[in-house]
Amino acid sequence: MKKRFYAAGMFVFVVLSLSSGLGYRFYNQPKLDVGKIAPQTLTAPSSAHVEDVKTTEERRRETRSGTLAVWVVDPEINQQIHSYLQQLLATGALIRDKLGNFPLTKTTVLSTATQIYLRQAPESQWQTVLQTLEKNRNLNGLNLSQQLAVKQLRTYRKYNSSQAFSQLLKALIQARQRYNIALSSLRENALAQPKTLYDVTLLNLSDADWQKTQIQVRQTLDRILAQGIHPEVSKDNLNYAIEMQVSASVPKTAQPLARQLLLKVIVPNLIKDIEQTKLIAEQAAQAVEPTIVAIQKGEVIVKAEDKITHANFVLLDHFNLSQRGIDWLHLIRFSGMVGLAVAFFRLVEKRFSSKLRSSDYILILLLTLSAPLLIVLTKSFTGLAAIGLLVGSFYGASIGGTVMGLLAILLSIGTELSWHDLIPSAAGGIVGGLMAGQWRFPGREALRTREELASLGILIGLTQGVVYLLVNTALAPLWYNVLGIAVLKSLAGLIWSILGLGLSPYLEALFDLVTPIRLAELSNPNRPLLKRLAHEAPGTFQHTLFVATLAEAAARALHCNVELVRAGTLYHDIGKMHDPLGFIENQIGSPNKHDAINDPWKSAEIIKKHVSEGLVMARQYKLPTAIQAFIPEHQGTILIAYFYHQAQQQKEQNSQQILYESDFRYDGPIPQSKETGIVMLADACEAALRSQKDITPEAALAMVNKILKARWQDNQLVDSGLKRAEMSQIAHIFVQVWQQFHHQRIAYPKL
């Protein structure tokens, strides 16, 4: 009953503490707020010009977000475009070089169309033209191109010498040969480049038109690129722009080729000038005039029964007419939400985590309350990154993730922190809580060094920066306008992580915490206490190492805290340093001290004293309570059987002597956790296993099962959480480890 009252009292205290800390926004809430109905007509007690800060900031934020990007021409892209065009024109020129000069003669003698026809006409048609000329046949049966060619050739022959006419025919024959060579080259180019834009149109251009086309295409490209090609320009608009430029400057016969060339090479050449855009956006935001709400003395601010607008509220708040005070209704509702959050936390604790101590609750409460305190002091920083890192590393991922998730929700309701700042901080805190606490997950390796946690700090910082960027660019496409602030958020996350790491050792010592990192540090054999043990009681130290090997293997198989088992085992027998020779493992080549004492009661006291002396040493060296628990609990209340048997023999010889079994039992307590229970079993089996060298694994297993059964039947494990079915699993693991230590070796021949 007493425990229930205490638990209920603690629950109420925690809820009130969190409600008062996280819900501070409800302490100064206006009764006459935006959207509420005015109970009476309120007038201005004096004239005033009041700046509406909230509206001003919103307008400036909208202006920043709505600023159009500044686009500039990229010289590198232009250079690539010109190089590509030059390559295409060079290819065309190479093909045309095989044609020779064109036209062959003056167009007043043979028209361009006739010259083109005669150069590319099929051989049969060419022969028909020659025969018609030679035999002066009529033109019946010839096509229009042949008729025109024959007429123009006859006219040339009529007014020129036969020698001139023969030279003209000879030139036509050579042109036909060159044309076929150029046509073959054109086809080869088409095969090599299936998407080539050149066809016979290239061959039919006059030399003058080809030269003019090259010049005009380059100039047209310069004009278009100077205007800039936007990445989102449509193909139709680009086609239209090229058509307008080409039709005004390029010869008509070459216009299709010019359009194809330009379409082939032109790509968007505008890029965003981020710095200039940011500068213009900021200048535009600063140019936004503050929103001023003006009123004259005696004017009505809001009439009775009217809904209060934001402008009304600005004036009411300025004149202290908004009736600010504690909003008890919302504060009580918020307290109810806090109560649900605390209840959910308790469910997670019972389901996924080991039972927390009162000091653990106090630490989590203090860390949680530090968040609203930082918000009040800084208006934007929450410290959630450091809180998540600390809670996760102290209590595991389930507790760390739960605390940070609930804290983020409660902060969004109970504080006035902008969601632009809260969401990135909460994301960083949740990442820290989950990643720093992954050592609680079965099969996951613990973060055992400060360096690993420092690396996690970098991840937390990156998370905060990226989430801030995503949150603040959800409605604004100009992400680079907030890039600088996102970088600052990343640095803030990293700095908070560094502060958390710096606080961690002090909090561990102050609240008696054991984390994987602290346990790894305590397990270092160069620790002063372990160095003393190795030097002053070497046999005990070797015994400790083998017990640690057995216990670790069992703890790993049962998904226990392996780091705690390792550290606890290393310190479980430090009390034997008070009298090393009182223990058999340290009596190397020396007579047994207890034979000289010859008093089982005194010998039992010496043996039992290693527990009490061990606790004294542990407190002196400030070992955590969780480590100290291994010192008495690994012995529990077991019987010191050897000396108890001696005492029984002496009582048989002296019947007046009083014998109490409790004098030969350790004072306890019995193991209170699986970890200390495993170490008790490993300690009991270590000497028996190490002394056996030639027995079979089956015999070793039978011996270990017998020892474990004795501990179970002696009720030493009833509070440990170990199950009877796990005894067999532990026994098999102990024997496997023993076999690894005592495997057979090759018998080397004598030299």
Side-chain angles (χ1 to χ4, degrees):
M1 191 62 136
K2 205 171 185 180
K3 283 186 176 180
R4 288 185 180 179
F5 277 117
Y6 175 76
M10 284 298 297
F11 179 81
V12 172
F13 170 75
V14 169
V15 170
L16 291 177
S17 299
L18 291 174
S19 300
S20 59
L22 299 175
Y24 69 84
R25 70 176 293 183
F26 301 114
Y27 298 161
N28 194 31
Q29 285 291 93
K31 289 184 180 179
L32 301 182
D33 204 350
V34 177
K36 293 186 177 180
I37 303 298
Q40 61 187 31
T41 299
L42 298 170
T43 58
S46 62
S47 299
H49 288 74
V50 185
E51 181 183 354
D52 185 350
V53 177
K54 184 177 180 181
T55 302
T56 301
E57 284 303 315
E58 287 178 353
R59 288 177 58 201
R60 286 176 176 170
R61 185 181 294 111
E62 290 172 359
T63 301
R64 288 190 191 95
S65 303
T67 302
L68 295 177
V70 176
W71 294 85
V72 295
V73 174
D74 188 344
E76 291 186 7
I77 297 178
N78 280 1
Q79 181 62 38
Q80 293 172 3
I81 293 173
H82 280 105
S83 297
Y84 189 26
L85 177 63
Q86 184 60 36
Q87 179 184 345
L88 291 177
L89 292 176
T91 301
L94 191 64
I95 295 172
R96 283 186 56 86
D97 283 345
K98 297 178 172 61
L99 285 171
N101 296 329
F102 185 78
L104 304 172
T105 186
K106 295 179 181 179
T107 54
T108 54
V109 176
L110 291 178
S111 66
T112 302
T114 297
Q115 292 189 46
I116 290 173
Y117 168 72
L118 291 175
R119 190 176 59 173
Q120 67 183 27
E123 184 63 25
S124 59
Q125 293 184 18
W126 166 249
Q127 293 298 329
T128 301
V129 169
L130 291 179
Q131 291 175 8
T132 303
L133 284 170
E134 183 180 354
K135 298 181 180 180
N136 288 320
R137 294 177 181 174
N138 59 35
L139 303 181
N140 294 333
L142 301 180
N143 59 39
L144 292 178
S145 296
Q146 288 174 315
Q147 292 177 14
L148 182 61
V150 169
K151 287 179 181 179
Q152 292 181 5
L153 286 171
R154 283 176 177 175
T155 301
Y156 183 83
R157 185 174 59 180
K158 180 178 180 182
Y159 293 101
N160 291 277
S161 64
S162 59
Q163 184 179 359
F165 183 69
S166 298
Q167 289 178 346
L168 175 61
L169 291 179
K170 187 176 180 180
L172 285 173
I173 292 170
Q174 289 178 346
R176 286 177 56 79
Q177 293 173 346
R178 285 178 172 272
Y179 181 84
N180 288 328
I181 293 172
L183 187 62
S184 298
S185 178
L186 186 68
R187 288 169 179 168
E188 289 173 2
N189 182 65
L191 290 174
Q193 301 179 27
K195 294 184 179 180
T196 183
L197 49 85
Y198 288 124
D199 55 20
V200 292
T201 304
L202 175 68
L203 306 181
N204 294 332
L205 293 177
S206 67
D207 292 345
D209 285 352
W210 171 243
Q211 293 300 326
K212 187 175 182 181
T213 298
Q214 293 182 78
I215 294 170
Q216 292 302 323
V217 164
R218 289 191 179 98
Q219 293 178 353
T220 301
L221 179 64
D222 288 337
R223 288 194 295 271
I224 293 175
L225 294 182
Q227 295 173 355
I229 308 298
H230 196 278
E232 296 179 3
V233 68
S234 68
K235 191 172 183 180
D236 290 340
N237 288 337
L238 184 59
N239 282 335
Y240 179 74
I242 292 174
E243 176 70 29
M244 294 294 292
Q245 294 281 346
V246 166
S247 61
S249 58
V250 178
K252 190 172 183 180
T253 54
Q255 287 180 8
L257 177 60
R259 284 195 297 269
Q260 292 177 26
L261 279 168
L262 291 171
L263 280 172
K264 185 77 170 178
V265 300
I266 289 178
V267 294
N269 67 334
L270 292 180
I271 58 172
K272 294 178 182 177
D273 188 336
I274 294 177
E275 292 302 322
Q276 191 66 21
T277 303
K278 288 169 63 177
L279 178 62
I280 292 175
E282 190 58 36
Q283 290 174 347
Q286 295 305 318
V288 173
E289 294 292 333
T291 302
I292 304 295
V293 183
I295 195 167
Q296 298 297 319
K297 181 178 179 180
E299 283 188 18
V300 174
I301 299 175
V302 60
K303 293 182 179 180
E305 304 301 322
D306 281 356
K307 185 179 289 187
I308 298 173
T309 65
H310 183 70
N312 299 151
F313 174 75
V314 170
L315 293 172
L316 291 174
D317 213 35
H318 174 73
F319 293 120
N320 294 323
L321 298 175
S322 57
Q323 302 178 21
R324 285 186 176 273
I326 298 177
D327 188 345
W328 289 106
L329 178 61
H330 284 91
L331 187 58
I332 291 171
R333 289 178 180 174
F334 183 71
S335 299
M337 295 184 64
V338 172
L340 290 175
V342 173
F344 181 76
F345 168 81
R346 289 283 290 159
L347 287 174
V348 173
E349 177 201 348
K350 290 180 179 178
R351 174 66 179 83
F352 297 103
S353 181
S354 57
K355 183 174 175 57
L356 301 179
R357 305 162 300 164
S358 298
S359 60
D360 297 326
Y361 294 127
I362 293 172
L363 177 56
I364 294 174
L365 178 63
L366 292 175
L367 290 173
T368 301
L369 291 176
S370 67
L373 177 61
L374 286 169
I375 294 172
V376 171
L377 296 175
T378 65
K379 303 299 183 185
S380 60
F381 293 115
T382 63
L384 293 181
I387 297 170
L389 190 69
L390 290 170
V391 176
S393 62
F394 291 163
Y395 304 111
S398 57
I399 295 295
T402 301
V403 168
M404 298 317 299
L406 294 174
L407 181 56
I409 294 171
L410 295 176
L411 286 175
S412 67
I413 299 170
T415 68
E416 296 177 342
L417 184 66
S418 167
W419 59 272
H420 295 273
D421 296 315
L422 177 59
I423 293 178
S425 297
I430 292 172
V431 168
L434 293 174
M435 297 296 291
Q438 67 177 354
W439 60 279
R440 291 287 188 182
F441 291 141
R444 289 288 185 92
E445 285 296 322
L447 300 179
R448 293 189 178 90
T449 64
R450 306 285 175 190
E451 289 82 359
E452 289 175 327
L453 277 181
S455 300
L456 177 57
I458 297 175
L459 176 61
I460 292 173
L462 289 174
T463 300
Q464 283 199 183
V466 171
V467 172
Y468 183 87
L469 202 60
L470 294 175
V471 166
N472 287 274
T473 56
L475 300 177
L478 303 183
W479 56 270
Y480 36 83
N481 282 343
V482 295
L483 183 60
I485 304 177
V487 171
L488 291 178
K489 290 292 180 182
S490 292
L491 291 176
L494 178 59
I495 291 170
W496 280 117
S497 301
I498 293 171
L499 289 175
L501 286 173
L503 284 173
S504 179
Y506 300 102
L507 294 175
E508 289 171 3
L510 185 61
F511 289 89
D512 193 27
L513 296 167
V514 286
T515 62
I517 293 175
R518 193 179 185 196
L519 291 172
E521 292 170 349
L522 289 170
S523 300
N524 188 335
N526 290 317
R527 300 285 292 192
L529 197 53
L530 294 180
K531 288 179 74 174
R532 273 190 59 193
L533 181 63
H535 177 69
E536 297 176 19
T540 299
F541 185 69
Q542 293 302 318
H543 154 80
T544 296
L545 294 179
F546 189 47
V547 173
T549 305
L550 294 172
E552 278 186 62
R556 186 171 287 104
L558 297 180
H559 302 301
C560 298
N561 190 335
V562 179
E563 289 80 13
L564 180 60
V565 168
R566 180 189 301 111
T569 307
L570 291 174
Y571 291 93
H572 80 286
D573 267 349
I574 56 174
K576 290 183 179 180
M577 285 190 289
H578 86 281
D579 187 2
L581 295 179
F583 301 89
I584 189 70
E585 65 266 21
N586 296 311
Q587 297 169 2
I588 305 171
S590 301
N592 192 330
K593 178 178 180 176
H594 296 284
D595 293 340
I597 294 174
N598 196 27
D599 185 340
W601 280 267
K602 287 185 179 181
S603 294
E605 281 301 317
I606 293 173
I607 299 299
K608 289 169 65 175
K609 201 173 182 181
H610 89 275
V611 171
S612 58
E613 289 295 326
L615 289 172
V616 171
M617 291 180 186
R619 296 187 190 103
Q620 179 184 353
Y621 281 83
K622 294 182 173 56
L623 293 182
T625 303
I627 300 297
Q628 294 182 30
F630 283 82
I631 296 173
E633 291 180 23
H634 87 278
Q635 296 291 6
T637 58
I638 63 175
L639 185 67
I640 305 173
Y642 182 83
F643 294 113
Y644 180 66
H645 180 66
Q646 276 192 354
Q648 284 180 322
Q649 290 178 337
Q650 288 187 15
K651 187 178 187 311
E652 290 175 0
Q653 297 172 4
N654 183 4
S655 59
Q656 294 181 352
Q657 199 167 26
I658 300 174
L659 175 61
Y660 295 106
E661 186 181 291
S662 59
D663 293 338
F664 293 88
R665 281 191 176 272
Y666 287 96
D667 296 330
I670 61 175
Q672 300 297 302
S673 67
K674 282 189 174 184
E675 285 78 9
T676 55
I678 289 171
V679 174
M680 169 184 270
L681 299 177
D683 185 69
C685 296
E686 182 272 338
L689 282 172
R690 193 155 55 162
S691 63
Q692 305 298 327
K693 298 187 185 301
D694 298 324
I695 64 171
T696 63
E698 291 76 13
L701 181 62
M703 178 184 65
V704 170
N705 275 320
K706 185 177 179 181
I707 296 171
L708 301 190
K709 182 178 179 182
R711 290 289 186 269
W712 184 268
Q713 291 178 343
D714 196 22
N715 294 322
Q716 296 296 313
L717 301 170
V718 291
D719 295 336
S720 68
L722 291 171
K723 300 175 183 177
R724 182 69 184 89
E726 292 172 334
M727 295 297 104
S728 176
Q729 185 180 358
I730 293 172
H732 279 88
I733 293 169
F734 285 175
V735 173
Q736 287 174 5
V737 174
W738 167 77
Q739 285 180 285
Q740 293 167 6
F741 271 81
H742 295 283
H743 57 79
Q744 291 184 350
R745 296 182 182 272
I746 299 173
Y748 289 94
K750 294 182 180 180
L751 297 178

